[in-house]
Amino acid sequence: MRPRTWVLVLAAVFAVLQLAAVTGRDTPDSKNYVSYALTLAGAGKREAAAETVDWVCAGKASAAERAQRVDVLRFHAPSPAGRVFAECRDGELRRVERRLRAGGAQTDGYVVPFVAPRLRGIFEVRPGYPVFLAPFVGVFGVTWGVWLASVLVAGAGGVLVFLVLRTVSVPVPLALTGQALYYVLPVGTTAMRPMTEGLMLALTLTALWGCALVLTGRAGAGAASVAGALLTLFAVKHSQTLFLGACLAGAAAVVALWRRRRHGRSPGDGRSPGDGRSPGDGRSPGRGQRPGRGQSPGRGVAAIAVVGCGAVAGTLLLARLLRYPSEAESVQDLLTGHYTHPDRAHPWREFLHLEFDFWVEWLRRQLTEPLFPAALAAGACGARRRPAFGVFLLAAAGTGILTQAGHPDITVYGDRLIVLAWLLPVVGVPLLLEPLVRRPVPVPVQGTARVVGVTR
C-alpha cells in the first residue's frame, strides 16, 4: 500500500479501538467546555445544562456498572447504573438551577454555571475548543458528537507526526512508527479527552511541522504554518501561545547563533549547524541534493523568531485588552482550590514554595516508575540526529514542562498538563531508530560476490 494508505489505516484502527469507551472520558472541566459548545450551537442555558449533565452522568453510571462486574464481592448484585445516574443528575441540576435563579453574574457568558463565576471566567476565555466541538454536538448529539470530535483531533495529531517526520526525510516505516507512538502513548489517551489538550497537541505539531518546512527550504509555507498555529492557539488556550511562541523564538535564536559560530557566515547562508548535513533530511549534501527549494532556511529561521516574539507580545497585549484572568488570578485559583477557600495574602511566595515541593515529589515518583524519563532521554538522543530540527523539537516539548510548572498540582489526573513533553519521544524515538533502517545491506553486483552498501 502507499504510505498515505498506511497513515489512514493506522488512524482508522485507532478510531475503532476508541469505541471501547464512548463515554466516561470526561474530567471535571469537560462539562464547562461541552455546555459552552451547546450554547454556541443554539441551546438555552437550561437545555445545555440538561444535555451536559445527562452525558456526564451516563459516563459515571457506565463506569459504576463496569466496576461492579469485576468486584470480587458484589459482581452478582444488581447493576447500580440507574441509581448512580439518578443521583448524579439530581445533584448537578439542583446546583445549576440554584445559580440560574440567582441571575446576574451567575448567568453571564456562554458556559452553564456549574461553578462559581470567578472560576467560570477561566473557561469563557477559551472559545477555541467549544467552537470546534459545536458542529459535532449540534449534529450528532453530545455523546457521539464529543466522541467523534475527540477521535478526529487525536487522529489528526498522529497524522501530523507522520508529516513532521517525513518532512525531515525520515523513512516511511519510522514515520508510521511515530504516528503509532502518538496513539499508544499517553498522548493519544489525553488527546481523546474532551478538553483543550487534543487541539493544543495538534496545533503544537502544526507549528513544529512549520519549523521542519523552514529547515528544508520551504520558508514561506513553514512560517505561515507556525503563525497560523500560534494564532489559533490563542483561542484554544492563550497561555500555550505564550509558552510556544517564546520557546520557538528562543529555539530560532539558538539555531541562528549556532550556524553563525559554526560557519562564520550570516544565518541566511542556508547551511545547517553541526555535522555538515542539510538541515532537514539528515543526508550528506554532496549527493546532488539541494537543502531547500530555492529559499534560504536561514531567512525562515529568522521569520520563526519574529513570529514567536510577535505571538508573545500579542498574547500579553490582547490578554490585557480583553481583560483575561491574570497570572495572579491563576495562582489564586490554584492555591485556593478553585476559589473554595479565601484568597492567599502572599500568593507568589506560597506558589514558589509549592513549586519546589511539587518537583521534588514529581521526581521521586518518576524514579519509581521511570518510563517517562527514559522516553524523554531516548527522544533527546534521537533529536541529536537532526541538530537544527532537534532544537525546535525540544522547544515544542518543553512547553509541557512550562505548563506543568505554571500549575504545580500533583493531583491533576493523568499528568495531562505535562503531556506536550511526550512529543519529544514520539518524534525523537523514530529518529533514534533511523540507523537501523538506513543500515547497509548486501546486494550482489553484476553477478559477482562483491557487496555494496544500499540504504533501505
Side-chain angles (χ1 to χ4, degrees):
M1 292 188 291
R2 293 181 176 181
R4 70 184 66 177
T5 306
W6 281 112
V7 170
L8 294 176
V9 167
L10 276 179
V13 170
F14 172 76
V16 170
L17 293 177
Q18 302 317 302
L19 289 169
V22 177
T23 60
R25 297 180 188 265
D26 59 288
T27 71
D29 293 344
S30 296
K31 56 179 175 283
N32 296 293
Y33 293 113
V34 173
S35 67
Y36 197 153
L38 287 168
T39 306
L40 290 174
K45 288 288 178 65
R46 285 181 171 80
E47 180 185 357
E51 292 189 43
T52 303
V53 166
D54 286 349
W55 170 70
V56 170
C57 294
K60 292 183 177 180
S62 178
E65 183 176 22
R66 292 195 303 270
Q68 181 181 290
R69 287 177 181 175
V70 293
D71 189 298
V72 295
L73 298 178
R74 299 185 298 112
F75 62 89
H76 47 69
S79 171
R83 174 181 55 81
V84 170
F85 179 84
E87 291 176 355
C88 171
R89 191 174 193 277
D90 290 345
E92 291 285 354
L93 289 181
R94 191 182 307 116
R95 285 189 289 271
V96 170
E97 187 61 33
R98 185 170 61 250
R99 289 192 171 104
L100 288 175
R101 288 201 198 99
Q106 297 282 2
T107 56
D108 291 344
Y110 293 94
V111 179
V112 169
F114 293 108
V115 293
R118 197 173 172 188
L119 178 57
R120 198 172 69 251
I122 294 176
F123 299 100
E124 292 282 357
V125 301
R126 300 175 184 174
Y129 178 65
V131 168
F132 169 76
L133 190 60
F136 293 95
V137 297
V139 174
F140 300 100
V142 176
T143 298
W144 287 104
V146 170
W147 180 87
L148 182 58
S150 300
V151 164
L152 287 177
V153 76
V159 174
L160 283 164
V161 170
F162 177 87
L163 292 174
V164 168
L165 289 169
R166 287 299 293 149
T167 300
V168 295
S169 298
V170 172
V172 170
L174 291 180
L176 292 170
T177 299
Q179 181 184 1
L181 285 174
Y182 186 91
Y183 294 149
V184 302
L185 289 175
V187 195
T189 303
T190 303
M192 277 296 300
R193 293 196 187 109
M195 299 280 289
T196 57
E197 277 73 23
L199 276 180
M200 284 170 54
L201 284 161
L203 290 169
T204 302
L205 282 167
T206 301
L208 185 61
W209 184 26
C211 296
L213 291 171
V214 165
L215 293 175
T216 51
R218 288 160 284 186
S225 296
V226 174
L230 289 171
L231 182 63
T232 308
L233 266 173
F234 182 84
V236 176
K237 193 174 182 181
H238 66 279
S239 61
Q240 177 63 9
T241 305
L242 186 66
F243 294 152
L244 185 58
C247 287
L248 291 184
V254 169
V255 171
L257 290 173
W258 192 3
R259 284 175 170 167
R260 183 184 293 274
R261 292 186 63 182
R262 295 285 296 188
H263 300 287
R265 299 189 181 97
S266 65
D269 63 1
R271 299 190 182 187
S272 75
D275 55 7
R277 297 176 181 178
S278 66
D281 62 10
R283 291 175 285 185
S284 171
R287 298 180 183 178
Q289 307 182 93
R290 292 185 299 176
R293 297 185 177 181
Q295 296 175 325
S296 169
R299 293 180 180 177
V301 170
I304 292 175
V306 171
V307 170
C309 291
V312 172
T315 298
L316 294 174
L317 179 60
L318 282 175
R320 294 294 183 268
L321 291 176
L322 298 174
R323 297 184 178 180
Y324 280 9
S326 64
E327 297 82 6
E329 189 74 5
S330 178
V331 171
Q332 290 287 4
D333 168 51
L334 171 70
L335 297 177
T336 60
H338 301 308
Y339 308 113
T340 57
H341 293 79
D343 282 9
R344 302 298 181 99
H346 306 286
W348 288 107
R349 185 172 63 192
E350 295 188 37
F351 175 80
L352 292 176
H353 186 171
L354 176 63
E355 188 81 53
F356 177 80
D357 290 344
F358 170 86
W359 287 111
V360 170
E361 175 62 16
W362 182 87
L363 182 60
R364 186 195 66 80
R365 297 188 184 190
Q366 297 305 313
L367 293 177
T368 60
E369 298 180 8
L371 173 62
F372 186 40
L376 290 178
C381 290
R384 294 182 61 188
R385 292 187 52 80
R386 300 288 194 284
F389 173 72
V391 173
F392 286 108
L393 174 58
L394 287 169
T399 60
I401 306 296
L402 291 176
T403 301
Q404 183 68 81
H407 199 88
D409 185 353
I410 205 73
T411 65
V412 172
Y413 176 73
D415 294 331
R416 63 178 177 83
L417 294 176
I418 205 171
V419 69
L420 284 155
W422 278 99
L423 294 182
L424 180 57
V426 165
V427 179
V429 167
L431 291 170
L432 183 64
L433 298 175
E434 191 176 18
L436 301 179
V437 176
R438 294 192 183 278
R439 70 181 184 272
V441 296
V443 177
V445 177
Q446 296 180 351
T448 69
R450 188 163 63 89
V451 173
V452 298
V454 176
T455 298
R456 287 185 179 176

